[in-house]
Amino acid sequence: MTKKVKTAITPTREEDYPEWYQQVVKAADMAERSPVRGCMVIKPWGYTLWENIQREMDAMFKATGVKNAYFPLFIPLSFLEKEAEHVEGFAKECAVVTHHRLEKGPEGGLVPGGKLTEPLVVRPTSETIIGESFSRWVNSYRDLPLLINQWANVVRWEMRTRIFLRTSEFLWQEGHTAHSTAQEAVTRTRLMLDVYARMAEEFLALPVIRGSKSAAERFPGAVDTQCIEAMMQDRKALQAGTSHFLGQNFAKASNIRFQTTEETEEFAWTTSWGASTRLIGGLIMTHGDDDGLAMPPRVTPVHVVLLPIIHKPEDRQAVMDYCDSLARTLREKMYHQRQMVVEIDDRDIGGARGWEWIKKGVPLRIEIGPRDIAKDALFVARRDKSHRDKTTIARQQFIDQVGPILDEIQVALFQKALSYRETHTHLIDDKGAFYDFFTPRNTTKPEIHGGFALSHWCGNASCEAKIKEDLTVTIRCLPFDAPQEDGRCICCGAPSNSRVVFAKAY
Ligand SMILES: [Zn+2]
């Protein structure tokens, strides 16, 4: 039996992945459960990450002409009833406000009073209330396209919750656009999906597959739902962003009409698209290891942490002066249009100090003691490498190279995630092999068990439903880049001309 390596996180990913995830969130001090069931408190380390994600995405949206606005938290019940599929899709998870004040109860305490004549729904998504505004803002073809985004919280009542992945309240952005032609709306749907893919790949270092959902997995009321799907380290898929072409369904429901150049009246073509704090869950599950989180440099709250090593009180001043000066120099540098963030942690708590920063995932840790100062050199550790793997770099050289080093870490995280996905993605054409691939069991070869199966599907909803029922495996997407090839449906054997991505999912 091999000696068990001590890890900062217990249990390890291999031992208990869901519990490992909770422990990483806790150890990195990102968020915690709140007294309100199913809701989370996002702590500064998690919220700063969200702000960084927000800032980058917001800039990308605006570069495509989108403008930000804000709409009410409450939606009149009658609005939600306007689009039949939409109400069907969200009805089971709506929080509903029925009263507007509190009164003294007959036995003391407070009870709801002032019953509302029409209940208000706390937004699960805002198509209907934004649609009402659009119906007033759009009159002529000259008012189109209308490109609006809002940053907000939404509520979808969840019985089984997991921090960042599935919570009753979460933070997100939702974009809503209206267009004069179907083609323009379709183009916009794809454009925004590409923004999400860029956010995921270039900033979060999450390799994603872009594609369309099957009809069964579509957003309620959408004509086409496009998505990006990433593989987590338990080989399950995580949907990391969606963009919907809504056709004229919501325009008809909300009465968004415009006068055309020929002076006829037509319903607008609309889209909606969203990404949420779920991205943080995806980042943790992709880059975390048995020592905690690893932050991609382009979104990390802190790029570099300086750890002064002070054994004798008389060394303190010199070490702190050296650290302060280095921090000042580094903070003047830019890393991808963002001022470099450097922290000095001089807490006297022994080895726990370094481990805290490992668990938080900060990309670069630098230990600085009197001997390093004498050599004018830095003892540097990278989060993408083993915690024992530290190198000495001359101070000036480090200052010159810190940007490229951070880029290397960014690329290394992406490559590691990509090779993990490739290792666990298989072309499967045999039904028995497909069922084996997704059936949990004791196996001598766990490395070829579970992941993404690229298999043929005939397009029939009943085959999709059968696989979901038998294996809890769903079609994650019909990839845009799937080559045309003849094959047979993995379920019924009927002809198919391209493969889809099957996986278990969050
Ligand atoms: Zn079939």
Side-chain angles (χ1 to χ4, degrees):
M1 197 178 152
T2 52
K3 187 168 167 279
K4 194 167 178 286
V5 181
K6 199 175 162 356
T7 57
I9 304 295
T10 330
T12 62
R13 286 163 293 177
E14 203 57 56
E15 287 163 351
D16 183 347
Y17 193 81
E19 183 56 25
W20 164 84
Y21 173 78
Q22 304 289 358
Q23 292 305 322
V24 172
V25 170
K26 193 176 163 193
D29 205 26
M30 300 189 87
E32 61 187 22
R33 296 198 174 281
S34 83
V36 184
R37 199 174 168 277
C39 295
M40 60 181 164
V41 175
I42 307 177
K43 297 179 81 173
W45 194 250
Y47 198 77
T48 308
L49 172 61
W50 178 241
E51 286 178 318
N52 292 344
I53 292 171
Q54 241 184 338
R55 191 181 46 248
E56 301 295 352
M57 264 206 291
D58 199 60
M60 285 193 265
F61 294 157
K62 286 172 180 162
T64 73
V66 170
K67 289 189 165 56
N68 285 339
Y70 188 78
F71 299 85
L73 171 67
F74 303 117
I75 301 177
L77 192 60
S78 58
F79 281 31
L80 224 70
E81 287 166 342
K82 285 177 187 169
E83 216 291 333
E85 275 187 56
H86 193 63
V87 63
E88 172 103 350
F90 286 105
K92 287 188 203 115
E93 48 190 35
C94 283
V96 187
V97 179
T98 53
H99 293 76
H100 65 83
R101 67 166 173 264
L102 293 169
E103 294 168 349
K104 268 208 182 105
E107 285 141 51
L110 293 167
V111 295
K115 199 162 191 285
L116 294 173
T117 46
E118 183 184 2
L120 296 170
V121 177
V122 180
R123 63 180 163 222
T125 178
S126 305
E127 274 74 9
T128 57
I129 191 128
I130 293 180
E132 192 277 336
S133 288
F134 278 21
S135 72
R136 288 178 290 105
W137 298 353
V138 174
N139 293 302
S140 132
Y141 67 91
R142 293 181 201 87
D143 302 323
L144 298 172
L146 186 55
L147 312 171
I148 298 293
N149 175 62
Q150 85 165 341
W151 289 97
N153 58 342
V154 283
V155 170
R156 294 178 189 175
W157 213 258
E158 295 280 358
M159 299 316 284
R160 296 173 60 193
T161 59
R162 286 179 81 186
I163 279 185
F164 291 126
L165 296 172
R166 192 171 289 279
T167 47
S168 292
E169 182 194 16
F170 57 89
L171 305 183
W172 80 343
Q173 59 67 220
E174 50 180 316
H176 298 268
T177 69
H179 306 265
S180 54
T181 66
Q183 189 49 53
E184 197 184 291
V186 167
T187 303
R188 172 58 60 170
T189 305
R190 180 58 196 269
L191 178 67
M192 301 324 285
L193 188 81
D194 289 344
V195 166
Y196 292 144
R198 212 182 128 205
M199 182 68 216
E201 299 199 321
E202 291 179 21
F203 291 86
L204 306 176
L206 305 180
V208 293
I209 298 175
R210 302 168 210 210
S212 277
K213 288 289 187 197
S214 63
E217 300 284 330
R218 258 176 221 149
F219 177 74
V223 174
D224 180 26
T225 287
Q226 302 181 351
C227 61
I228 51 171
E229 297 281 331
M231 186 190 285
M232 305 295 104
Q233 290 180 80
D234 58 355
R235 301 168 203 176
K236 282 191 192 171
L238 184 90
Q239 178 180 291
T242 49
S243 187
H244 317 288
F245 170 55
L246 303 172
Q248 291 176 309
N249 294 347
F250 283 86
K252 283 175 181 163
S254 298
N255 200 27
I256 309 170
R257 283 180 298 178
F258 69 98
Q259 202 158 52
T260 66
T261 44
E262 286 85 41
E263 307 223 326
T264 58
E265 209 166 62
E266 253 190 56
F267 285 107
W269 302 82
T270 66
T271 79
S272 68
W273 25 276
S276 72
T277 36
R278 201 167 211 235
L279 286 170
I280 296 177
L283 183 153
I284 297 167
M285 288 199 294
T286 303
H287 302 311
D289 61 22
D290 295 335
D291 287 334
L293 186 57
M295 283 280 190
R298 290 185 72 174
V299 289
T300 185
V302 173
H303 298 94
V304 183
V305 62
L306 306 182
L307 305 168
I309 309 287
I310 303 162
H311 293 303
K312 294 183 233 150
E314 60 268 32
D315 291 337
R316 186 174 180 86
Q317 195 59 48
V319 173
M320 289 309 291
D321 286 350
Y322 190 91
C323 288
D324 284 336
S325 149
L326 177 62
R328 264 199 309 277
T329 308
L330 290 172
R331 283 174 189 143
E332 280 165 15
K333 293 182 75 84
M334 299 295 280
Y335 180 66
H336 288 279
Q337 289 89 52
R338 185 154 70 95
Q339 205 99 29
M340 200 158 309
V341 185
V342 182
E343 286 220 6
I344 303 174
D345 181 359
D346 68 340
R347 287 174 304 159
D348 185 14
I349 55 170
R353 185 181 60 169
W355 279 107
E356 269 188 28
W357 292 102
I358 292 173
K359 289 187 274 190
K360 280 175 171 290
V362 70
L364 292 169
R365 309 184 304 281
I366 304 180
E367 293 173 9
I368 297 168
R371 269 183 296 174
D372 307 296
I373 295 173
K375 288 184 289 185
D376 201 22
L378 309 172
F379 202 40
V380 180
R382 290 167 50 152
R383 185 58 183 88
D384 63 325
K385 299 195 167 170
S386 156
H387 65 87
R388 286 183 218 89
D389 190 349
K390 299 175 190 175
T391 31
T392 298
I393 307 176
R395 187 181 61 94
Q396 190 56 47
Q397 194 192 342
F398 177 80
I399 292 166
D400 295 339
Q401 290 297 309
V402 62
I405 294 171
L406 289 167
D407 279 343
E408 264 177 48
I409 297 172
Q410 180 81 26
V411 170
L413 291 177
F414 181 84
Q415 286 303 332
K416 195 171 148 215
L418 183 62
S419 87
Y420 186 88
R421 188 186 80 191
E422 284 171 350
T423 304
H424 298 291
T425 300
H426 298 272
L427 300 180
I428 302 180
D429 291 319
D430 176 73
K431 190 172 182 175
F434 184 89
Y435 271 66
D436 283 351
F437 185 66
F438 286 116
T439 306
R441 61 187 169 176
N442 287 325
T443 167
T444 48
K445 283 192 175 177
E447 66 275 11
I448 56 153
H449 179 256
F452 288 0
L454 297 176
S455 299
H456 280 275
W457 172 55
C458 62
N460 215 313
S462 62
C463 289
E464 186 183 9
K466 173 92 173 82
I467 285 167
K468 187 174 180 180
E469 195 190 312
D470 289 352
L471 300 166
T472 63
V473 164
T474 48
I475 295 174
R476 301 318 305 156
C477 71
L478 287 56
F480 295 142
D481 60 1
Q484 293 286 304
E485 58 164 73
D486 289 332
R488 302 214 160 261
C489 176
I490 197 72
C491 185
C492 71
S496 144
N497 59 14
S498 73
R499 293 173 187 271
V500 301
V501 180
F502 283 99
K504 296 193 179 184
Y506 279 92

